[in-house]
Amino acid sequence: MTTFQEKIYKYGNGAYLPMKIVNPKILTDKVTSVISHVVVTTASKLAFISGQVSVDESGALIGSGDYYAQAIQVFTNLKYALEAVQADPLCIAKMNIFVVNHSPDLISIIFEAGFHVFGPNWPKTASTYIGVQALADPEWLIEIDAIVIFP
């Protein structure tokens, strides 16, 4: 049996943004405190945010060698991208999180940074956490892209 939880967010223009969260009982609930297994929407418009990395507006690296510092900057850049299209973090339907030289202890560090940036607006969205050997720049440790829905 499937459990449905519907989240309907009030969007900036007063419209409501419908998304249904589907977490089938047959799939573990161990991860559903930070992600959802499935997100269903009838969005009329989508935004695709390119992978955000730990650089500031001048292109300078933030947090050399520091996963937490880089994660803060990456989530901050994601937040700026959302603001540029007037989207709330809760409008994120899907995130891909790429982490160089992943190890299990990095999961809590990266999600803690996300909670620090987004606070109560942390998007419990469909997400994929991917350990990778390297990113486009050897100093980048984390990259996050996202798909955003609009009402």
Side-chain angles (χ1 to χ4, degrees):
M1 176 170 277
T2 300
T3 302
F4 283 88
Q5 294 176 330
E6 188 167 351
K7 56 182 182 177
I8 300 180
Y9 301 119
K10 191 162 188 178
Y11 191 62
N13 64 5
Y16 286 90
L17 181 69
M19 284 196 280
K20 286 189 179 176
I21 301 302
V22 182
N23 288 311
K25 289 183 180 182
I26 194 73
L27 298 176
T28 183
D29 64 358
K30 184 177 180 182
V31 296
T32 56
S33 65
V34 293
I35 70 154
S36 299
H37 286 292
V38 182
V39 175
V40 180
T41 182
T42 56
S44 61
K45 183 168 80 170
L46 300 172
F48 299 86
I49 298 177
S50 291
Q52 299 300 304
V53 294
S54 186
V55 295
D56 65 13
E57 63 188 21
S58 72
L61 176 71
I62 303 298
S64 180
D66 183 333
Y67 283 91
Y68 184 76
Q70 286 204 18
I72 291 285
Q73 185 65 44
V74 171
F75 282 113
T76 299
N77 289 347
L78 180 60
K79 187 175 180 181
Y80 291 153
L82 291 166
E83 290 170 356
V85 295
Q86 298 177 333
D88 189 277
L90 299 175
C91 296
I92 297 173
K94 172 79 169 115
M95 276 194 296
N96 291 310
I97 302 170
F98 302 91
V99 180
V100 173
N101 297 322
H102 165 69
S103 62
D105 60 307
L106 292 174
I107 295 171
S108 62
I109 291 169
I110 291 166
F111 279 98
E112 181 182 319
F115 287 118
H116 176 81
V117 172
F118 291 116
N121 287 332
W122 171 255
K124 280 179 40 175
T125 184
S127 296
T128 303
Y129 187 104
I130 306 161
V132 296
Q133 182 178 357
L135 294 170
D137 184 297
E139 292 191 281
W140 297 344
L141 301 175
I142 301 164
E143 184 169 346
I144 300 174
D145 65 25
I147 298 173
V148 179
I149 68 169
F150 295 87

